[in-house]
Amino acid sequence: MKKSALQYTLILVSIPTLLVLIGHNILNHLKSSPNYDFFNILKDFIILFISAVVAYNVILNNNARNKRIFEKIKQNNEEMRLSNERYNIVAKATSDTIWDWKLDDDTFIWNKGIQGIFGYKKEELGKTCKWWFDKIHPEDSLKISVKMYTYVENKTQRWEEQYRFLCADGTYKYVLDRGFLV
């Protein structure tokens, strides 16, 4: 994007500059002519006209390219909307708790299953792995931590473990957790 903007700027500056230099050389030869003022004004109009035509074409090309980009963005947004709709339908149909852990910024995203199964309200949910690890039963915590970090470190595609998870009411429920590394 920056490269093409620089190219367009150079074109829009160099063509009028070139025309000014050519016009100046021609007018230097015509200084003694009685029509010198007319040619000087004509030169300015020609430069202005050619610059306007070039600018118009550059803007037209940019508008066409921007329209293609906008249509692609609209299409991608629609695909994402449909994908999110399907995800929400699947999440409702399974009544499972589904979570996504983004390792690069350590954020957890939970679906509504965490509320229905474990009783946590949306505002009680932690957004990092620490919250999740803190809710794992102390007797299971070390085992799950080691296995999870080994899984991530080895980039194992599938993960499956059982552990006890603390509910909002203070009781524990057994969890069969399955994960996929993306």
Side-chain angles (χ1 to χ4, degrees), residues 63-127:
N63 283 344
R65 187 173 51 89
N66 289 344
K67 187 175 181 178
R68 287 190 305 273
I69 291 170
F70 179 73
E71 289 301 319
K72 183 69 175 169
I73 289 171
K74 261 177 56 175
Q75 179 185 353
N76 289 345
N77 284 345
E78 180 62 16
E79 288 172 8
M80 275 179 42
R81 187 188 66 75
L82 291 172
S83 178
N84 285 340
E85 250 179 45
R86 285 191 290 275
Y87 166 81
N88 287 330
I89 290 169
V90 168
K92 286 178 189 175
T94 65
S95 73
D96 288 342
T97 299
I98 300 172
W99 53 272
D100 183 15
W101 181 13
K102 295 184 181 187
L103 296 170
D104 50 342
D105 62 356
D106 187 27
T107 56
F108 259 67
I109 300 169
W110 300 90
N111 77 333
K112 291 182 181 179
I114 190 86
Q115 297 168 9
I117 295 173
F118 298 102
Y120 289 103
K121 295 177 182 153
K122 191 174 184 175
E123 58 274 1
E124 296 175 316
L125 296 176
K127 304 217 184 289

Side-chain angles (χ1 to χ4, degrees), residues 165-179:
F165 193 78
L166 181 65
C167 297
D169 66 4
T171 63
Y172 283 92
K173 288 188 178 175
Y174 280 91
V175 172
L176 172 60
D177 207 342
R178 293 184 182 127

Side-chain angles (χ1 to χ4, degrees), residues 4-17 51 54-55 58:
S4 61
L6 181 61
Q7 289 172 343
Y8 290 139
T9 303
L10 287 174
I11 290 169
L12 290 175
V13 169
S14 60
I15 289 177
T17 304
S51 299
V54 169
V58 167

